[in-house]
Amino acid sequence: MAKGPTIAIPGTATSDVSSLGESLRPTDVGDAHYRAFRDAIVSGASRQDIYTGTEHGYAARAWAQSSDPAQVAERDLDTRREFDRIRAHMDNLVEPLRRHYGLEGMSVLEVGCGTGALAVALGLAGAVVTAVDPTASSLAACRHRAAYFGLPLERLRLLHVQPEPGLMFADRQFDRVVVNSVLEFIPERRAEHVRDWVRVLRRDGLLVISAENGWFPRDYYSGMLLPRLRRRTCIATNRPFGPTWRELRCWAAASGRMIDDLSVENRFNSIDKLAARVHARGHRRLGGVLRTANRWLKQCCSRIGVPADVLLPYATSVFRVKD
């Protein structure tokens, strides 16, 4: 595949994602695009609940209009946290995806892009991104985030979609489909969504799904114990619950296309990132212990054919379409 032009990141010579998080433009709360991003957050971006189709679901829940200093400070803090989330996505998803599987010049679909932290990070890494979401205010926030970081318009297309399965795209259109923090908020028809994501992938394309680990004994978001055994309660009380790795495998395979499960390669393993952070903070011995333990864990999991992420609260699964 022909490679697209290299994107110049403010403050860097190239789009080398290994240093992107540190070399991104610092957050300037006085910038016009940041202020517009904040307005989108206030109107409900990042606060939508895509878990249910009721009036409390897909529609964004705006912040209450208030001049109370405490509420204003809370809104500003929420905006800053959401805006800075791009750096975590670069480290946790974009960097391993770029390094191990490639992104430069790739056509990437992000499903459920929200305010665009991951979509913009993918674009800055050299991908040509189509980002879709059912909430208009989140798409507006994504647009302003992209403008703030200088992402060229030709690198990011934003589309409003319905939350039901059935994307408007043709078969075999994308090199990568990335889905982050989405499936756990969709209680029904998950298999249809996954089959649809596989459908739009080209041969040798990758489906990358990051979500709560449905087998973990404590729910990542709600704190509910044993969520895998209490899914009816989750649905009745409008709580998220994660899929399991085996479910994702079955749903991808049910697409009728040949699927190669790359999850066991452990390219997105969270313990590696934790060890690196611990080491960077000066705890070299503890970081070394974590790295050694993680190597042992990955070897053991590889022998039995399961990804190490099945033992973690949040997991990333990777599937390659072979035909």
Side-chain angles (χ1 to χ4, degrees):
M1 174 178 296
K3 301 298 183 184
T6 298
I7 297 177
I9 306 302
T12 64
T14 68
S15 59
D16 182 3
V17 185
S18 60
S19 59
L20 257 183
E22 297 177 357
S23 58
L24 272 175
R25 175 188 175 185
T27 301
D28 176 6
V29 299
D31 182 88
H33 290 298
Y34 182 90
R35 295 199 304 269
F37 181 91
R38 180 196 59 204
D39 292 342
I41 294 293
V42 171
S43 68
S46 86
R47 291 173 60 82
Q48 75 274 19
D49 181 1
I50 63 172
Y51 182 62
T52 175
T54 69
E55 61 178 341
H56 303 295
Y58 296 117
R61 298 169 306 189
W63 280 89
Q65 296 299 320
S66 173
S67 58
D68 178 70
Q71 288 198 7
V72 172
E74 184 182 358
R75 290 200 304 260
D76 289 345
L77 180 60
D78 186 57
T79 299
R80 181 63 182 267
R81 277 197 300 255
E82 186 64 25
F83 195 75
D84 288 342
R85 202 179 300 274
I86 184 173
R87 291 169 174 82
H89 283 314
M90 284 179 168
D91 292 338
N92 297 334
L93 280 174
V94 176
E95 161 55 16
L97 182 57
R98 179 202 66 85
R99 178 156 41 96
H100 297 294
Y101 302 113
L103 275 177
E104 182 72 29
M106 298 286 182
S107 175
V108 178
L109 170 66
E110 192 202 348
V111 179
C113 66
T115 65
L118 180 55
V120 173
L122 289 164
L124 292 174
V128 179
V129 182
T130 298
V132 302
D133 198 89
T135 305
S137 58
S138 290
L139 293 173
C142 181
R143 188 175 299 109
H144 291 297
R145 187 199 295 273
Y148 180 92
F149 287 107
L151 180 64
L153 293 177
E154 62 270 19
R155 286 287 187 178
L156 179 63
R157 178 172 61 149
L158 300 175
L159 295 174
H160 184 271
V161 296
Q162 296 303 312
E164 293 80 15
L167 294 169
M168 74 285 285
F169 306 112
D171 295 354
R172 303 170 185 260
Q173 187 170 340
F174 297 97
D175 301 302
R176 308 279 185 263
V177 173
V178 182
V179 187
N180 178 62
S181 298
V182 171
L183 268 181
E184 54 265 59
F185 297 99
I186 302 175
E188 299 174 331
R189 304 177 70 182
R190 293 182 174 188
E192 293 178 55
H193 281 285
V194 173
R195 289 198 299 268
D196 201 35
W197 302 336
V198 173
R199 176 185 64 81
V200 300
L201 277 168
R202 295 175 178 140
R203 181 176 181 177
D204 292 327
L206 297 182
L207 172 60
V208 181
I209 301 176
S210 286
E212 294 182 274
N213 175 10
W215 276 120
F216 199 76
R218 186 175 186 273
D219 185 85
Y220 183 84
Y221 290 105
S222 70
M224 173 185 282
L225 296 178
L226 302 177
R228 178 64 182 87
L229 305 178
R230 303 170 67 185
R231 288 187 171 181
R232 290 185 180 180
T233 300
C234 290
I235 294 174
T237 57
N238 198 35
R239 298 186 187 188
F241 59 93
T244 68
W245 164 65
R246 289 193 177 277
E247 284 178 323
L248 295 175
R249 285 187 63 184
C250 291
W251 297 336
S255 66
R257 302 183 68 182
M258 294 180 62
I259 302 295
D260 188 10
D261 184 3
L262 305 183
S263 306
V264 294
E265 294 180 351
N266 294 300
R267 302 296 194 185
F268 296 84
N269 187 276
S270 300
I271 301 177
D272 283 331
K273 294 188 284 286
L274 174 61
R277 287 197 296 269
V278 169
H279 187 274
R281 292 173 183 173
H283 305 291
R284 296 184 177 182
R285 180 172 297 179
L286 179 57
V289 170
L290 286 171
R291 285 195 180 98
T292 301
N294 197 36
R295 283 197 298 270
W296 176 85
L297 173 63
K298 289 192 286 188
Q299 289 172 0
C300 291
C301 288
S302 295
R303 289 193 185 101
I304 61 176
V306 299
D309 272 11
V310 298
L311 302 175
L312 303 174
Y314 212 84
T316 300
S317 300
V318 185
F319 306 96
R320 174 179 285 140
V321 179
K322 299 172 64 177
D323 65 342

